[in-house]
Every structure is written in structure tokens, then in C-alpha cells.
Amino acid sequence: MANETLTITDNRTGKVYELPIAHGTIHATDLRKIKVNDDDFGMMTYDPAFMNTASCKSTVTYIDGDKGILRYRGYPIEQLAEQSSYLEVTYLLLYGELPTAAQLQQWESEIKQHTYIHENVKKLMEGFRYDAHPMGMFISTVAALSTFYPEANKIFAPEVRQKQILRLIGKVPTIAAFSYRHIKGMPYVYPNNDLSFIQNFLNMMYSIGTPRYEVPAIFEKALNILFILHADHEQNCSTSAMRSVGSSHVDPYSATAAAAAALYGPLHGGANEAVLRMLDHIGTIDQVPAFIEKVKKGEGRLMGFGHRVYKNYDPRAKVIKKLADDVFKVTGVDPKLEIALELERIALSDEYFVKRKLYPNVDFYSGLIYKAMGFPTEFFPVLFAIPRTSGWITHWQEMILDEDQKIARPRQIYLGHDTRDYVDIAKRK
Ligand code: CMC
């Protein structure tokens, strides 16, 4: 490779600096050498929302936003969605390789040993109001797990870390299902470890009395694919929260609760919920053009459209759109699908969206599938959080084992007052 350096001339001083380039980046702290005088702190970059800053090296997930490519550990998302299972993908994310048949069997059985939650966790969940948002319950309950497993703060002990990883993957479906049963006023259903991971989750959600709840095959298939698609997405808002909070060396339950809180917002994992509310608000297909005009005037956003990284069709949205057809063949077509298709048709040909490279993202169609499967709208972000937990802990582990990492501590450009004297309250205007 030719000279892998960057030459910078500081026109304030005329000085020239040569900075090494590695992996297409310069080290931000190298800029600190650029100073006008000895008292100068040195040059920084200003990058609100981390639009162009790599905060870590990672070997987990690769995205090419312009080409619409997503791979976990090198495997294309389309192949994993078609051929793999969610638990196999969790293994792949955490260990970097696909498991052998024996490794997968052992992994599934280990996770199953951690599906139950302490009875006091159940009691804690019972304390929420009848109309509590399930994502609020999920966040708080995951945080509370740290009080049940205080040893979890020994984050540099590999066997302790491994135990919490198993617990987190195993317990989040139970917490999610209990939060659903709570808002429905239904008795909690305990895990049944004779069932598969996905069947068990659906059983905890929907089983009531007799006859025994039989998980529809298409629901198991759909949820398996949706969980795979949502398992990881490199340095998104919630994963960055996981890394940032985890960099203080707090236990993984507290860090996961922080990540889940980041996911809750309508610009991130709350978007699938917001899409359904938007479709409800639009109401009928003839209202779509008027709604699009409002969005173009800046009166609200077209939820489920646009992405910080993808400037092309989100590859996950492609898989989900096809999956929606399969699910609707069994459940019947939701009239909102017509509205969604019309929104997509108009948006993809409208100059406003084309110019800004706004395409459907993972959340545009996922909500319609969740709805067809009987999940209430406010539960959608929780359905995102269950699989994303595996991505969060994969990144958390990668971060704490990375010698380059330290406690996350961004800098600021201070633009406030210079020093001034305290004014007695009686003298203030
Ligand atoms: N509807 C209308 N206009 C939009 C939208 C949208 N959904 N998204 C972006 N824009 C416009 C935005 O107004 C701006 O226009 P202008 O240049 O005239 O000011 C331009 O496109 C660039 O937008 P931005 O806000 O600078 O882009 P961003 O990279 O900061 O935001 C986003 C990414 C996902 C937050 C944003 O596209 C958005 O709010 N989308 C709707 C919410 C959503 O669907 N979120 C789910 C993301 S995928 C799942 C996940 O990872 O959580």
C-alpha cells in the first residue's frame, strides 16, 4: 500500500503534521498534537451523534449501507434468515463460528437451564400498574436482575461472565412474556423446557387453560426469522449505550437495562410501534397522499423509513416483506398492509424520499407481522429487545476484552459563560 499517512497543514501556524492511517481512519488523539501554542489543549473533532467516528474495532457485524449488505461474522443475513435458527445465531455472534451439531445441542440445553426467573422477580413485576408499558417493565426487571445475581459484577471472570450471558439470553423471553400477561391481567405461564426456545416463548405468551396451546408452525418460523434479523446491527444507538455504560465496568444486567432504554425510543426500537400507530392514524388508503405531503412539509416523519447507515433498501426489510406474505396467507391480510404498500409505492417514487435516500427499514413491515400474530402494539419494542439482547452482550464482551477500550468519556466544546461571581438571591433581577 502507498504511503498510509495523512498530511495536515495548520493554516493558523503554518505547521505540517503527518498522521498515520490505519483501516481508513486516523487516531483522534493524534490530532491533539495540532496546537497553536503550548497552552492549547490540541485539536479535537466535533461529531454530534457520532456521524463519522469509529468508537471501536469489532469483528461481529458488517454493514455496507450503500449496497444494502448485512452480515453476522461474515455470513449474509439472507442465508441466516433462510437456514439458521435464532439460538444458532446467538452462538455465532458470541463465539464467532457456527456451532457443530453437538455444540448447538449443548448450547440450547444450557440456555434452557436459565429460563426461569426468581419468584421475587415475578413479584416485582406484579407490582407494576395494570397499564404499565411492557418495555418499561422489561427495562426495570432486567435492571433488577443485578440484585439477584450480585456476583455478576465480576466481569473479568470468564465463568461468571458466561453464566450471566446464559441467564440473559434464557430469561429475557420469560420477562417479556410475563410483562404481556401482566398488562392482560392473565396468570403468568412458567417456562416449559420441553419446547423449543421460540415455542416456549409463544407458549408463555398465549397458553391459557386447556386445550394445550399449539404453536402455529408459521408463527414459530416467523418469529425465528424476526429474531435472527434483529439480533445485531453493529454500533446502533442501543449497542453504543451498552458499550458506553458497560465501559464503566458495571454488571451486564445494568448495562443491558441501559441498552434496552435506548431501544425504547421511537427513533430506534420503538419505531415498529410508531409505524402501526401511524398506519392507524392514516386510516384509509385514500389518505396516504395527504399524509405524505404533511411529512414532506416537515410535519412528522414517515416512520419505518430512513436509516442512519442504509442509504438503500434495508436488507432486513426485504426478508420481512416476503415473510409478511407467508404469514398473511395463514392469518389473512391486514387492511393496514394496503396502506403500508401504498406508502412505500409513493415514497419510493417521490423526489423528497429519493433525494434523501429514504427506504423502508426493518420496522416498516415487522409490526404488521407482529400484529397478525396477536401481539399488542405496545409490545413490539419488547419483541425487538429479546433478540437484540444477544447482540448487546456480544458487543459488551468484545468491549471489555478489548485492550484499546477505556471508560467512555466524550469531550465537549464549552460555549458557556466565562467565570463570574455568585450573586446573592436578593440582588438577582
Ligand atoms: N421521514 C421523513 N423524512 C425523513 C425521515 C423519515 N422517516 N428520515 C429522515 N428524513 C429526512 C430528514 O428530515 C432530513 O431531511 P433534511 O435533510 O431536509 O433535513 C434527512 O431525511 C436526513 O435525516 P436525518 O434525521 O439527518 O437522518 P438520520 O440518519 O439522523 O436519522 C433515522 C435516521 C432512522 C433516525 C431517521 O431516518 C428516522 O427518524 N426514521 C424514522 C424512525 C425509524 O423508522 N426508525 C427505525 C430505524 S431502523 C431500526 C433501528 O435500528 O432501530
Side-chain angles (χ1 to χ4, degrees):
M1 183 73 67
N3 199 3
E4 286 285 285
T5 61
L6 179 72
T7 303
I8 298 177
T9 306
D10 185 347
N11 293 323
R12 299 170 302 175
T13 59
K15 282 194 195 156
V16 176
Y17 302 83
E18 191 169 336
L19 308 183
I21 297 175
H23 309 290
T25 61
I26 56 163
H27 215 292
T29 49
D30 282 346
L31 295 173
R32 294 268 290 277
K33 294 174 201 155
I34 305 176
K35 297 175 177 224
V36 279
N37 55 45
D38 286 347
D39 293 340
D40 187 356
F41 178 77
M43 181 71 75
M44 296 191 296
T45 56
Y46 176 55
D47 190 9
F50 300 109
M51 301 283 285
N52 194 37
T53 296
S55 64
C56 63
K57 294 173 187 157
S58 181
T59 60
V60 182
T61 290
Y62 174 78
I63 299 177
D64 183 326
D66 290 327
K67 297 198 183 115
I69 292 173
L70 169 61
R71 299 181 200 130
Y72 296 161
R73 301 285 190 185
Y75 294 100
I77 195 68
E78 296 81 1
Q79 289 181 24
L80 292 170
E82 177 91 26
Q83 297 173 58
S84 188
S85 70
Y86 168 64
L87 280 192
E88 183 177 61
V89 165
T90 61
Y91 185 100
L92 172 68
L93 288 172
L94 278 154
Y95 300 103
E97 295 297 337
L98 287 169
T100 62
Q103 285 168 330
L104 181 60
Q105 201 188 14
Q106 192 191 337
W107 178 241
E108 288 175 346
S109 125
E110 278 175 345
I111 301 242
K112 277 187 183 173
Q113 285 164 34
H114 295 283
T115 51
Y116 273 68
I117 55 176
H118 194 290
E119 280 298 293
N120 285 355
V121 177
K122 194 185 90 177
K123 283 189 198 143
L124 180 135
M125 295 189 76
E126 280 166 359
F128 283 100
R129 263 178 67 130
Y130 68 97
D131 59 352
H133 194 292
M135 195 61 178
M137 292 176 73
F138 182 88
I139 293 165
S140 319
T141 310
V142 170
L145 291 184
S146 74
T147 67
F148 289 84
Y149 308 110
E151 75 279 13
N153 63 8
K154 295 190 182 65
I155 59 166
F156 292 106
E159 65 290 356
V160 177
R161 212 166 49 232
Q162 178 67 5
K163 190 71 164 282
Q164 316 320 315
I165 287 172
L166 293 170
R167 282 179 174 146
L168 270 163
I169 296 177
K171 288 181 201 309
V172 287
T174 312
I175 294 171
F178 282 18
S179 72
Y180 169 81
R181 305 289 290 206
H182 181 82
I183 54 173
K184 291 282 168 193
M186 289 161 79
Y188 301 167
V189 176
Y190 284 66
N192 177 346
N193 292 331
D194 290 334
L195 300 174
S196 74
F197 185 84
I198 304 258
Q199 284 171 345
N200 172 50
F201 171 57
L202 288 169
N203 190 61
M204 289 189 291
M205 292 284 299
Y206 295 129
S207 169
I208 182 105
T210 48
R212 204 161 70 85
Y213 173 70
E214 292 292 342
V215 176
I218 184 67
F219 285 11
E220 187 177 5
K221 178 186 164 193
L223 213 52
N224 184 52
I225 292 177
L226 287 161
F227 278 8
I228 290 172
L229 297 179
H230 284 88
D232 193 44
H233 212 232
E234 51 118 310
Q235 311 311 318
N236 55 85
C237 178
S238 56
T239 304
S240 302
M242 181 85 189
R243 280 179 173 264
S244 194
V245 173
S247 75
S248 73
H249 293 176
V250 73
D251 68 87
Y253 300 107
S254 302
T256 302
L263 188 73
Y264 193 2
L267 298 188
H268 190 9
N272 48 18
E273 181 179 350
V275 170
L276 257 270
R277 298 203 191 285
M278 174 185 76
L279 297 177
D280 276 338
H281 168 78
I282 295 172
T284 49
I285 200 161
D286 55 306
Q287 295 300 314
V288 169
F291 181 78
I292 294 267
E293 283 314 308
K294 275 190 177 175
V295 169
K296 284 161 63 179
K297 279 194 222 141
E299 297 168 23
R301 289 200 160 192
L302 179 49
M303 299 312 285
F305 255 69
H307 199 276
R308 171 62 58 78
V309 180
Y310 294 120
K311 300 303 169 198
N312 199 326
Y313 215 102
D314 182 335
R316 302 168 298 174
K318 272 193 196 151
V319 177
I320 291 181
K321 196 172 173 188
K322 187 176 166 299
L323 180 65
D325 289 340
D326 296 346
V327 173
F328 292 148
K329 269 185 211 138
V330 178
T331 62
V333 177
D334 186 320
K336 289 196 189 67
L337 177 66
E338 277 196 336
I339 304 176
L341 288 169
E342 183 64 0
L343 275 173
E344 183 186 343
R345 191 187 66 76
I346 297 185
L348 289 182
S349 56
D350 189 295
E351 207 216 325
Y352 174 95
F353 296 90
V354 173
K355 209 173 101 197
R356 291 170 178 77
K357 297 188 177 172
L358 300 171
Y359 293 86
N361 61 47
V362 67
D363 289 322
F364 194 64
Y365 288 105
S366 60
L368 287 169
I369 303 182
Y370 291 145
K371 188 162 176 289
M373 292 172 71
F375 295 112
T377 308
E378 66 269 34
F379 197 67
F380 297 173
V382 179
L383 291 164
F384 194 155
I386 298 171
R388 185 55 62 87
T389 298
S390 61
W392 290 330
I393 46 176
T394 301
H395 283 273
W396 167 75
Q397 180 155 254
E398 185 176 57
M399 182 268 306
I400 57 168
L401 298 179
D402 178 351
E403 288 178 355
D404 281 357
Q405 292 294 333
K406 285 173 179 283
I407 186 165
R409 187 14 176 131
R411 295 279 175 175
Q412 64 167 5
I413 303 172
Y414 178 71
L415 298 175
H417 287 282
D418 206 345
T419 183
R420 48 186 182 158
D421 290 326
Y422 181 81
V423 180
D424 188 88
I425 196 161
K427 292 187 185 152
R428 287 178 219 160
K429 290 188 184 139

